[in-house]
Amino acid sequence: MAHSDLTTHKNGRQRKIAVPTFLSENIRGMDRGETSSSEPEVEEEAEGLIKVLSSEDRRHRRVRPGIRDELGNVLLLLFLYVLQGIPLGLAGSIPLILQSKSISYKDQAFFSFVFWPFSLKLFWAPLVDALYCSRFGRRKSWLVPTQYLLGLFMLYLSGTVNSLMQSEGGPKVVTLTAVFFMLAFLAATQDIAVDGWALTMLSRENVGYASTCNSVGQTAGYFLGNVLFLALESADFCNKYLRAEPKDTGIVTLSEFLFFWGIVFLISTTLVAIMKKENNHGHGKRRVHEETQGVMETYKLLFSIIKMPTVFTFCSLLLTAKIGFSAADAVTGLKLVEAGVPKEQLALLAVPMVPLQILLPVIISKYTAGPRPLDVFYKAFPFRLLIGLGYALLVWWTPSVKHEGGFPVYYYAIVLFSYALHQVALYSMYVACMAFHAKVSDPLIGGTYMTLLNTVTNLGGNWPSTLALWMVDPLTSKECQGAAGQSCGSPEEAGLCVKEGGACVTTLDGYYVESVVCVVIGLAWWVWLGKKMRRLQEQKPAAWRCRASR
C-alpha cells in the first residue's frame, strides 16, 4: 500500500529538529537582572524582591501554567503547520490520479522525486537559520516569501493542471514533477522556518506545545489535501454519499482545489506579514533565546559527525535497511488502483488508522526506553517483510473479488486489517530508531546530530521506493495475443499489436518479482547486517561523541 510516512509522509514525523541542549543554559540565564546600586536600602529591597520571585518561581514549577495567554500563538502555529500539510497531501494524491490514467511505473518513479525534499532539507537548513533580515524578523524573512511562492505556484497550477493531466500524449509527468517538487521544496523550507519560530513564539513554559501543533497541524493538512480532496474529487463517492442527483464529476476539481488554497496562502501570509510581530514577548513569559551558528561551521560540524566510524556505519545501515520493504510500501497501493479499487476508498482507509497511529508510539515507547531500543527494530523487521508478501497476495486476490457493484465490505475489512498490521510493524521500527537516535546523539550538538540521523533515515526509505517503482516495468513480461508476429516489449510494439487487432496480456507482473526479490534481500540484510546494527548498541557513549563538540 502506498504508504505516506507522514505518515511517513510521506513525509514524515521523524523530521523534527530537536532543541539543541546548549539552549538550556541560555534559558536559565535569560531573566537574570543586575543590581548596580550600593545603597543598603536598595540592596535590602532587592533581596526582598529576589525572595518573592524565588517563591513565585517555586510555585510556578509546581503548577504548570496554561496556554490561555498564548492561545493566539498556538493557533497560529497550528494553522501554519496545516498550510504546510496541504501541498504534501496534494502531492500524495497525484500518483493515485495518474495511476487511474494508466501511466507507466517509470513515470511514477520519476514523480516520486517530489517526496525527496523533506528528506534532504538538512542541506539547506543552515542557510535558512543563518541568513535573514533582522528588521523584518529572522523567521518571517523566510516564511513570508516561501508561503507567497507556494500560493503563486498553486494559482499557476490551477490554470494549467488540467492540460498537464489530460494532454493528448498522456499526462505531462516531467512538468508535473517539476512543479510539485517545487511545492514540496517550499513546504520543507517553510517547515524549517516554522520549527525555528516555534521555539521563540512560545514561552519557555509552553514551548512543548510546538511539537503537538506540528503533529496535529501537518496531519490535518495532509488529510485535507489528500483524503478529503480525493473523496470530493470522486464522482462515484459524491454521487453515493453526498448528492441526491448523480453527476459526471465530483464536487470539486483539482484545479478548483488548488485555486482555493492558493488564495488562502496569499491572504494568510499577508496577514502574518503585517499583523504578527516576531519578537513580541508577553509580560512574565520567559522566552527561549536563539543563538546563530555560522553556515560554514554548521556544515563542518555535519561533516565531522559523518566521519565518525560508528556514525558512518550506522548511516550506511540506515540507508539500506528499507530495501526489503520498498515494493510493498511504494507499489502496492498503485497496483490496487490498477486492479480497480477506487482511489478515494484507499485514501479513506487512513481515517480509522489515526487513533492507531496516535497510540502505537505511546505503547511501543515502553519497550524502547531501555538501553537496547534497536532490539525492537530487529524483532519487528521480519514481520514487516512477511506483511509485504501478504500485500502481494492481496493484490493477486483483488481481481477475483471484484464484481459489478465494486468490492464487498469484507474485502475492505481485510485491506484495513492488513494495513493495521503494517502500521504496527512500521511504527515499532520507527519508534525504536528514534529512541536510539536520542540515546546516542551527542548532547552538546543534539539538534544537528539528531537531524542528521533522521535525514538519513528518511532518505533510506525514499531511494528504494523510487527504485522499486522504476523497476516494475522492466521486470514485467507481456505478450501479444490475437496478432501473429507482434510483441509488446515497448510502447511502440504494444501499439502495433493493438493496430493488428491483438491485445497485450501480462504474463509475469514485475510487482510480484519485486516483492519476492525485496523479501529475499530484506532477509539477507536482517541475518547479516541486522545483527551488526544491534551490536552498535554495545558501543560506549564516547564512540558517538563528536570531537568538534568538545
Side-chain angles (χ1 to χ4, degrees), residues 229-290:
F229 163 68
L230 288 173
L232 296 180
E233 187 262 352
S234 168
D236 292 338
F237 182 88
C238 294
N239 292 336
K240 188 174 181 180
Y241 298 106
L242 303 176
R243 284 186 177 134
E245 297 181 4
K247 295 183 179 180
D248 295 333
T249 60
I251 292 177
V252 299
T253 64
L254 179 57
S255 177
E256 293 168 346
F257 196 82
L258 284 164
F259 182 82
F260 171 79
W261 284 107
I263 295 297
V264 170
F265 265 88
L266 294 180
I267 293 175
S268 60
T269 305
T270 302
L271 292 175
V272 170
I274 295 173
M275 302 179 65
K276 180 61 180 175
K277 294 182 180 180
E278 187 164 329
N279 300 315
N280 185 20
H281 295 353
H283 296 293
K285 297 292 183 180
R286 289 172 289 182
R287 303 281 162 165
V288 177
H289 177 64
E290 289 188 289

Side-chain angles (χ1 to χ4, degrees), residues 324 381-382 385-386 518-528:
F381 198 98
L385 290 174
L386 291 176
C518 284
V519 169
V520 171
I521 294 174
L523 285 173
W525 190 98
W526 182 65
V527 170
W528 286 290

Side-chain angles (χ1 to χ4, degrees), residues 342-360:
K343 58 184 181 298
E344 65 275 7
Q345 296 291 348
L346 282 181
L348 286 170
L349 290 179
V351 177
M353 288 295 103
V354 173
L356 184 66
Q357 291 169 343
I358 293 172
L359 290 174
L360 278 175

Side-chain angles (χ1 to χ4, degrees), residues 14 55 90 110 120 182 237 250 326 341 363 424 464 467 491:
Q14 59 264 50
S55 63
L90 280 171
F110 191 77
L120 300 173
M182 280 304 302
F237 182 88
S326 56
V341 181
I363 297 171
V424 173
L467 182 62

Side-chain angles (χ1 to χ4, degrees), residues 154-182:
M154 287 185 173
L155 291 179
Y156 163 76
L157 262 181
S158 69
T160 60
V161 69
N162 289 334
S163 61
L164 294 176
M165 298 288 284
Q166 301 170 3
S167 61
E168 290 184 5
K172 296 180 179 179
V173 177
V174 174
T175 306
L176 282 169
T177 303
V179 176
F180 276 94
F181 183 90
M182 280 304 302

